[in-house]
Amino acid sequence: MRVLVTGWPSLGNGEATAGDVLAMEAVRRGLADADVECDLAWGPVLRPDGPDLDGADPGRYTHLVFACGPLHGRQIEELHRRYGGCVRVAVGVSVTDPDDPAVTGFDAVLARDTPAEAPRHDLAALPMTPSTPVVGVVLASGRREDVERRPDDRVERELTEWLAGHECARLPLDTRLDPHDWRLFGTAAELESVLRRLDLVVTTRLDGLVLALKNGVPALAVDPVGGGAKVAAQARAWSWPAIVTVPEDASGRRLLDPDELEHWWEWALSPEGAGRPSALPPSDAVIGELLDVIGAR
């Protein structure tokens, strides 16, 4: 017996939801626990290195299992034609039309929801996944506050490309406040409430650095202005070491050093880095100076 496990992430461009992938993984684990050999087929978007359906020889498999998602459409009907010599089973799927050829082509359908039966739990609830760092990403894209020393857009492009290569839960955050736009925070308290729940902030903004440290969260800060400007200055004010600057004259070369980013990434997520911000309270001396200047004390 050898089973090919498929799902919507196996078809076409391989668009995948977390639920799809977890359902396929639940099937794989269940088969492995029963000592059944199996392969998972992926589309080119999620796993460009495969294995994929084009490379999965139907003659190698006794069974095909389709996990998760709705049963309808030409792509599933094509599975029936290609793997007509296999026993075909759908599991954890939604059935809206029991007479659809995509449904009737299966030898057995173990639906999660169908008009004729009580619903079952979705397969995505079965496999437990490991925790990964939760990283807030606060970028200065589009900001041109310092017309004399403009941020280089390549900095954020290189930073985000580097960040995409790390397994972490990335959470894009915007420090702009707008109570009329549900996609933005309406108050600073809302933003800071999210920041306190993060493991790390990666930022090219002064706000991202300051608010992370204020709330006890380590930051990997990159100053996007050549030679360093206000972000680097604020890192010095806080005696915060995880600050990366770029050359003032890059001459077309790569701006960021991946090894330097990696060093501060590992440090910030280490016990030393994670424990550092809480020991760095901001000074209120400047408020005292303001009171002196205006004669309020």
Side-chain angles (χ1 to χ4, degrees), residues 74-266:
R74 176 188 54 79
Q75 294 183 94
I76 296 180
E77 293 177 36
E78 178 58 32
L79 276 182
H80 294 314
R81 288 188 285 271
R82 178 174 169 82
Y83 294 92
C86 298
V87 176
R88 298 178 304 284
V89 180
V91 60
V93 294
S94 294
V95 176
T96 56
D97 180 4
D99 297 322
D100 190 313
V103 178
T104 59
F106 285 100
D107 296 287
V109 177
L110 308 175
R112 66 185 175 191
D113 52 88
T114 177
E117 300 175 7
R120 305 184 187 189
H121 289 97
D122 187 79
L123 288 173
L126 289 178
M128 296 301 295
T129 58
S131 295
T132 64
V134 181
V135 178
V137 184
V138 184
L139 302 177
S141 301
R143 299 284 177 149
R144 293 293 182 266
E145 296 161 344
D146 187 344
V147 296
E148 297 299 324
R149 306 185 67 192
R150 293 177 178 270
D152 193 318
D153 292 335
R154 289 177 299 165
V155 174
E156 291 190 353
R157 184 169 64 251
E158 291 180 10
L159 177 61
T160 52
E161 288 174 354
W162 171 83
L163 186 59
H166 289 71
E167 186 170 359
C168 62
R170 290 171 288 276
L171 182 62
L173 297 173
D174 197 326
T175 61
R176 289 181 300 129
L177 304 179
D178 187 344
H180 306 293
D181 188 338
W182 69 268
R183 292 162 295 190
L184 298 174
F185 298 107
T187 66
E190 294 172 3
L191 169 61
E192 291 193 274
S193 294
V194 171
L195 289 173
R196 294 185 194 112
R197 289 163 168 79
L198 302 176
D199 297 307
L200 175 66
V201 169
V202 174
T203 185
T204 56
R205 287 205 53 130
L206 183 148
D207 281 358
L209 171 63
V210 172
L211 296 181
L213 299 183
K214 171 190 175 183
N215 286 282
V217 178
L220 195 174
V222 176
D223 195 318
V225 177
K230 61 184 180 181
V231 179
Q234 192 61 208
R236 292 194 300 273
W238 285 76
S239 300
W240 183 249
I243 174 70
V244 175
T245 57
V246 299
E248 192 162 5
D249 179 12
S251 302
R253 296 170 297 179
R254 184 177 181 89
L255 300 177
L256 296 177
D257 180 356
D259 291 337
E260 184 179 12
L261 291 172
E262 201 68 38
H263 167 76
W264 289 120
W265 170 273
E266 294 178 1

Side-chain angles (χ1 to χ4, degrees), residues 4-26:
L4 179 64
V5 179
T6 64
W8 283 102
S10 314
L11 305 176
N13 290 329
E15 180 177 319
T17 69
D20 293 333
V21 172
L22 288 169
M24 292 173 66
E25 179 62 18

